[in-house]
Amino acid sequence: MKTRIIEIIEQNYFDPDFDVNKLAEKLGICRSYLNTRFHFDFGSSPHDYLESVRIENAIKSLLEGDKIIEVCMKIGYANKKTFHVAFKKRFKMTPKEFVKKSKGTKL
């Protein structure tokens, strides 16, 4: 089941409508079972994992020079504000600050 979960997330993370409910639906299981099983297998919630996949893909795009608004649309955030909040929660800086900082250093 772990492999299938990862496949589904990788195939759908860029869809702003893709969430834990859609993941459970694609797996053919209820959301509560997905949350329990996911926590057991991955040590985090499905929502946190999905957000992590989105943010990691955002970093790649930002470092390739994509504009912030393009990145948030490409990785599944419906708007720039939601993307900024998720990014800042994880890195304690905005995407713009991250790009500025990374230009001066190799990651």
Side-chain angles (χ1 to χ4, degrees):
M1 182 183 251
K2 272 176 96 167
T3 305
R4 183 76 181 120
I5 290 171
I6 292 169
E7 285 175 4
I8 292 170
I9 291 174
E10 288 295 326
Q11 293 168 355
N12 293 279
Y13 73 86
F14 53 84
D15 177 359
D17 294 325
F18 184 72
D19 60 8
V20 178
N21 291 324
K22 294 258 172 49
L23 177 59
E25 186 180 306
K26 288 182 179 285
L27 289 165
I29 59 177
C30 70
R31 181 184 172 142
S32 61
Y33 178 70
L34 171 62
N35 282 323
T36 301
R37 181 64 193 248
F38 199 96
H39 227 321
F40 178 78
D41 287 343
F42 293 91
S44 69
S45 72
H47 173 79
D48 288 346
Y49 185 85
L50 175 59
E51 195 161 274
S52 177
V53 168
R54 285 179 169 154
I55 295 296
E56 293 197 16
N57 281 284
I59 290 170
K60 290 176 192 172
S61 293
L62 289 169
L63 293 176
E64 290 171 358
D66 291 351
K67 293 181 180 174
I68 294 169
I69 191 70
E70 294 169 352
V71 171
C72 70
M73 297 302 177
K74 188 191 319 188
I75 61 163
Y77 284 96
N79 61 61
K80 194 174 171 180
K81 183 177 180 178
T82 308
F83 172 57
H84 274 246
V85 169
F87 196 95
K88 193 165 186 172
K89 180 181 170 186
R90 181 154 180 199
F91 291 103
K92 311 293 186 242
M93 66 177 85
T94 66
K96 187 175 183 176
E97 292 167 338
F98 177 84
V99 170
K100 278 185 180 179
K101 188 174 181 177
S102 67
K103 283 184 178 180
T105 60
K106 292 262 183 191
L107 296 178

